[in-house]
Structure formats: C-alpha cells, structure tokens
Amino acid sequence: MTFARLASIVALAAVASAAPAAVTCPTGQVTGNAACCALFPIVDNLLQAQLFDGGECGEEAHSALRLSFHDAIGFSLQGGLGGGADGSILAFNQTETAFSANAGYNLPYLDEQFPIFLQSGLSAGDFVHLAAAVGTSNCPGAPRLKFFLGRPPPVAPAPDNTVPKPEDTVDSILARFADAGFSPEEAIALLSSHTVAAADVIDVTIPGTPFDTTPFTFDTQVFLEVLLKGTLFPGTGPHVGEVLSPIFGEMRLQSDFALARDDRTACFWQDMVNNQEHMMSAFATVMAKLQVLGQDTTQLIDCSDVVPVPQVLANPNIEFPPTFGTADLELNCPSLTFPSLATAAGPAPTVLPVPGS
C-alpha cells in the first residue's frame, strides 16, 4: 500500500470519527443534530415565555424539576413497576396525582403544563424532562442538564408508592432508591434539587415554604441549614416527633434531617457543604441517569445543546445565616473536616414563601 493511499485512509477515518457538523436551524440557533431544531421554538416560546414566566427560577421551574423525579423514579430494576422517565405522570395525571406522594404536589403545576404539552407535539416523557432541564437552567448556579429526544409515549401509569416520602425511614428511602438503581451517594446528589424547592402540602397552612434561605439560587445552602440543630414540634398532630428548622419560615423535611445524620449518608451530605462544583457535577451526573430510566438510550437523540446555559454564581461560597455558627451544627461524619464558614451579618433570618405556590 502506498504512503498516499494510507494517508487517504487515515484522513477518511478521522473524518468518520469526528463529531457531527453543527447545524444552523431556521431560527438561526445552532445544534449538533438537525432533529433538535424543532425544540428551540418550544424552549423559547412555550417553556420560557409561557410556563416559566419569562425564564424565572420560580415555583413553575421548581415544580418542573420535582415532576421529573416523581415521573422517573416509578421504575424498578427488577421490573414490574412503571416505565421510568416516560412522562406517565403527565399522560396519566388523573391517576398518578392521586397517589400518596403526589397528591397536592403536582396537580396545580400539571394544570398549567398540560395545555402547553399539547401545543408542543412532543411525547409526554420528552416534554416532562425537557421542561425540567430548561426550568433548572433558570436557577443561577445550576448545572446545565442534558436532554435526550425520542421517548415513546407511556403505555400505563406507574404504580403507587414508588416515590419516597418525607416521613419514610432512611432504610425505606435507600431501599427504594436502590431498587431504581441509585446508590446512597446518588440519592444525596438527587436531593440537591431541594436547594430550589418549597413545600406546599406538608403543612397546607403555610404553602410555598422553602427548604433553605436561598430558594431561587442553586447553591449548597440547603446542605448547611439542614445540619443546624432544631427543635421538636410542639403539641399534637401529624408532626409530633419532627425536628423543625431553627430558621423562621423554613421547612425542614424529616427525610432530609435523617439522611443528613445517618451513618450511611452523613458524609455524602456534609461533603456538599460549600462545595459548589462538586454539587453541580454530582447533580448533573445523577440527573442524566434519572432522566433516561427505563428508556432505550440507543433510540434517543442528544439534544442537550437546546438547554439554556445557567448563570454562574459570582460567589459560590455560602455563609451561616445571621446569628448561627459552628456551635449550632449537628455533624455525624468525623472523617470530614467541616469547612470554615463566615456568618452573615444581620438579625435572625425570616424566610418568605415562594410566590405562586
């Protein structure tokens, strides 16, 4: 074989293995696959302009992220449960929103989402998980989540009792995550979503109660504030025995409280504190796994470049809320040195509800 012939073959092989050429869509936007062009108007005109109120990290964006988890976690490696990330919670919303872990959480958002979904022309699974990626991109500090196009329509609703609940034990929560294919470390990474979350139905008298003092920023503040010592719920009723957040206006999920202190997960939880890059990377990785659960990934098209790039935090370092410090912590990971954090100036904080909840 001549040198020229060999060089020609090598050049052809290099071209064949190169990344696909960028495609300029009719909208002027650029993507790596022409099939993704149809998504840009959906992202801009239906999701950002309509569903997310012009691109806000508000209640609708928070709900889109929560819905993607409630949809996808209905899956088991053993089979016999739901189809995973297939959009069944949207397509069969009257069934799944009646489930114990979904009742009251998702129905108001689905009422907004469903007509926009019908306009999009996407499958239910593609719409749910595209909305989650786009909504999350509106939150400063968030990683840019992936999105894959081509999920077939769901064939049936997921069964009840597949979504972990705040009152569940750590044993039960970790077992449910393991059944869906997630390790304890991955479970904690998924809970990074609580940095931009609020409770609407745990206590219906205080809807929109945030889980940390920065509910519109994707930072590690929630991992710090859950570690603060709390007080037992006073009186009687369903909240007896719960340890409340010491911050007025903040909701503490009992599952977060327990996972932050359990021997199996405390180090993973504590390692997130003031570790923005680690949290972003871990969350992006585990969300990429969650959002294709139960799907044949060989049949999906990578359209991640249609997802907007989130705003980077100018200062990713967090602080103790005013009046709090190291003495207020409850730590259960002796192998990790807790980071040195300043305390923000000011009076004891009061967290306001998330509007629109």
Side-chain angles (χ1 to χ4, degrees), residues 221-233 242-248 250-252 254 256-258 260-261 269 320-332 338 349:
Q221 198 74 35
V222 70
F223 288 103
L224 168 64
E225 293 175 15
V226 171
L227 289 171
L228 297 175
K229 299 172 185 176
T231 56
L232 283 174
F233 179 84
E242 293 183 3
V243 181
L244 305 180
S245 170
I247 299 172
F248 186 80
E250 180 175 289
M251 174 69 69
R252 172 177 284 175
Q254 297 310 292
D256 285 356
F257 173 86
R261 292 158 175 78
W269 187 282
F320 282 105
T323 74
F324 291 93
T326 304
D328 299 300
L329 291 170
E330 288 183 333
L331 304 179
N332 192 33
F338 198 81

Side-chain angles (χ1 to χ4, degrees), residues 33 87 91 95 104 111 149-151 206 232 288 297:
N33 193 306
T95 298
D111 286 343
L149 176 71
R151 296 169 184 79
I206 48 172
L232 283 174
T297 56

Side-chain angles (χ1 to χ4, degrees), residues 50-51 53 60 107-117 356:
Q50 294 187 43
L51 191 60
D53 300 322
E60 292 77 14
L107 191 55
Y109 172 68
L110 284 169
D111 286 343
E112 290 185 65
Q113 193 187 76
F114 197 79
I116 297 175
F117 153 62

Side-chain angles (χ1 to χ4, degrees), residues 127-147:
F127 188 86
V128 165
H129 296 285
L130 177 62
V134 173
T136 302
S137 76
N138 294 332
C139 301
R144 189 187 194 189
L145 300 183
K146 292 184 177 297
F147 173 71

Side-chain angles (χ1 to χ4, degrees), residues 124-204:
D126 282 349
F127 188 86
V128 165
H129 296 285
L130 177 62
V134 173
T136 302
S137 76
N138 294 332
C139 301
R144 189 187 194 189
L145 300 183
K146 292 184 177 297
F147 173 71
F148 291 86
L149 176 71
R151 296 169 184 79
V155 297
D160 199 356
N161 299 315
T162 59
V163 181
K165 296 187 286 293
E167 63 269 23
D168 289 346
T169 65
V170 172
D171 285 347
S172 173
I173 292 169
L174 294 183
R176 177 76 276 275
F177 273 112
D179 184 45
F182 295 98
S183 68
E185 185 170 9
E186 289 174 318
I188 299 304
L190 279 171
L191 292 177
S192 300
S193 62
H194 287 178
T195 186
V196 286
D200 294 329
V201 300
I202 294 175
D203 187 336
V204 296

Side-chain angles (χ1 to χ4, degrees), residues 29-54:
Q29 291 150 309
V30 177
T31 177
N33 193 306
C36 306
C37 285
L39 296 177
F40 284 113
I42 296 172
V43 170
D44 294 341
N45 303 328
L46 296 182
L47 294 178
Q48 294 289 58
Q50 294 187 43
L51 191 60
F52 300 133
D53 300 322

